[in-house]
Amino acid sequence: MTAARPGPAASGPARARAARRRWLARNLRAHGFLAGALLCFVLFTWYPMVREITMSFQRVHHGATSWVGLANYRQITADPEFWSAWRNTLEFTGLALVLGFALPFLAAIVINELRHAQAYLRILVYLPVMLPPVAGILLFKYFMDPGYGLFDQVLHALHLPGSAWLASKDTAMPSLVLVSTWSNMGSATLVYLAALQGIPGELYEAAELDGANLLQRVRHVTVPQTRLILSLMLVLQVVATMQMFTEAFVLTGGGPEGSTTTVVYLLYDYAFSYDKFNTAAALGVIMLVVLGCFSALYLWLERRGRED
């Protein structure tokens, strides 16, 4: 005796239920992964921001927390170091943009123009990024030593006077810019290089047929084709350089005479040297607002440029 085979009417609902179970399992897994990522984002990004904003309106006295309104903001803006730190931060940002924005782009153009050794040069440029940041900074501290440093030995070999590098108010900030540019230009160079290699070769061939030299090809082909990447990297570099801390902390300690004390370094001092976490939180909120306004301005200009 053989079992009766299910008819078309019975197998249709069974297949539909099986399909619904597979769809439900697939979506549950996807939403589970998404929930985990969202939870990490909330815990490690949004909660610290909300906590910092809350702390900036509070003060702790003998273990008791109380609301003080804008007292922390008035305290930090009344400190002369606050304005000095902003001047130093803007000076570092301006110098870092001159070097850190132009040099990686020029390096990418040169590497892109070469027909040989591109892979070797890409590794060579990216090598500083693979070093631990503090190790790279300490290497420059050794190079800039006025007694036995490599830089002064090179100057003496060229019959030039040595430099105080990190010990002088005039050279301390440019020295930090040099270190920062060296350690960060590898990533920017690779981003520019990827953008350059996405430009159709026909555009360069047409420019060459029109008699354009290298500078004219860069001006009329490279820059217009990479405008979006250039503007995006400009914003990212401004945001990153305005938060400079490690170079000043390791090399100069904010000196000499406060000439390399940046906003983030002052924030560190308030939190861990003066034990005023709430005032440090107020300074962090001010920095957040400034960078937020700058990013909003960039988005507005970018949208207006697309509309025009």
Side-chain angles (χ1 to χ4, degrees), residues 48-122:
M49 289 175 62
V50 174
R51 180 67 179 144
E52 182 186 27
I53 294 172
T54 305
M55 285 178 61
S56 70
F57 296 102
Q58 295 176 331
R59 190 165 289 175
V60 180
H61 187 65
H62 295 301
T65 302
S66 58
W67 292 91
V68 294
L70 299 175
N72 292 320
Y73 291 92
R74 285 193 291 270
Q75 181 183 14
I76 190 64
T77 52
D79 186 349
E81 281 191 81
F82 173 79
W83 303 105
S84 172
W86 274 106
R87 280 195 300 272
N88 293 336
T89 301
L90 293 176
E91 180 186 356
F92 179 86
T93 301
L95 292 174
L97 284 182
V98 172
L99 286 178
F101 186 67
L103 276 184
F105 189 59
L106 292 177
I109 291 175
V110 170
I111 294 174
N112 193 50
E113 289 291 327
L114 296 176
R115 300 187 184 278
H116 303 286
Q118 279 199 6
Y120 169 74
L121 290 175
R122 281 199 295 265

Side-chain angles (χ1 to χ4, degrees), residues 4-17:
R5 301 176 63 181
S11 61
R15 281 200 296 270
R17 283 196 297 273

Side-chain angles (χ1 to χ4, degrees), residues 9-259:
S11 61
R15 281 200 296 270
R17 283 196 297 273
R20 278 199 299 272
R21 282 197 295 271
R22 286 196 299 272
W23 176 84
L24 185 61
R26 187 169 58 248
N27 280 277
L28 281 178
R29 277 198 301 273
H31 284 86
F33 285 120
L34 182 63
L38 188 62
L39 184 63
C40 289
F41 189 75
V42 169
L43 281 178
F44 298 110
T45 301
W46 284 104
Y47 173 72
M49 289 175 62
V50 174
R51 180 67 179 144
E52 182 186 27
I53 294 172
T54 305
M55 285 178 61
S56 70
F57 296 102
Q58 295 176 331
R59 190 165 289 175
V60 180
H61 187 65
H62 295 301
T65 302
S66 58
W67 292 91
V68 294
L70 299 175
N72 292 320
Y73 291 92
R74 285 193 291 270
Q75 181 183 14
I76 190 64
T77 52
D79 186 349
E81 281 191 81
F82 173 79
W83 303 105
S84 172
W86 274 106
R87 280 195 300 272
N88 293 336
T89 301
L90 293 176
E91 180 186 356
F92 179 86
T93 301
L95 292 174
L97 284 182
V98 172
L99 286 178
F101 186 67
L103 276 184
F105 189 59
L106 292 177
I109 291 175
V110 170
I111 294 174
N112 193 50
E113 289 291 327
L114 296 176
R115 300 187 184 278
H116 303 286
Q118 279 199 6
Y120 169 74
L121 290 175
R122 281 199 295 265
I123 294 174
L124 193 64
V125 169
Y126 194 71
L127 195 59
V129 181
M130 292 187 282
L131 286 176
V134 174
I137 293 170
L138 289 176
L139 184 66
F140 269 86
K141 189 174 186 177
Y142 172 78
F143 288 162
M144 293 176 178
D145 187 277
Y148 50 81
L150 176 64
F151 290 174
D152 268 8
Q153 290 185 20
V154 172
L155 290 176
H156 293 324
L158 297 173
H159 303 288
L160 295 173
S163 173
W165 299 109
L166 302 171
S168 167
K169 289 176 63 176
D170 297 329
T171 56
M173 188 62 83
S175 300
L176 297 189
V177 173
L178 177 65
V179 177
S180 177
T181 301
W182 174 83
S183 57
N184 295 312
M185 72 175 289
S187 301
T189 301
L190 291 189
V191 171
Y192 292 138
L193 193 57
L196 292 176
Q197 293 181 349
I199 300 175
E202 294 81 4
L203 296 178
Y204 288 111
E205 292 173 2
E208 289 179 1
L209 289 175
D210 289 341
N213 57 30
L214 176 60
L215 290 179
Q216 289 170 330
R217 292 201 300 272
V218 170
R219 179 184 174 187
H220 296 291
V221 178
T222 304
V223 172
Q225 291 293 318
T226 56
R227 188 182 63 85
L228 180 61
I229 293 295
L230 287 174
S231 60
L232 180 62
M233 291 297 291
L234 176 65
V235 174
L236 293 178
Q237 283 194 284
V238 168
V239 172
T241 52
M242 288 192 73
Q243 300 180 66
M244 188 273 288
F245 171 75
T246 309
E247 290 85 352
F249 181 75
V250 175
L251 291 177
T252 62
E257 300 179 24
S259 60

Side-chain angles (χ1 to χ4, degrees), residues 1 121 303:
M1 185 177 180
L121 290 175
R303 185 177 303 171

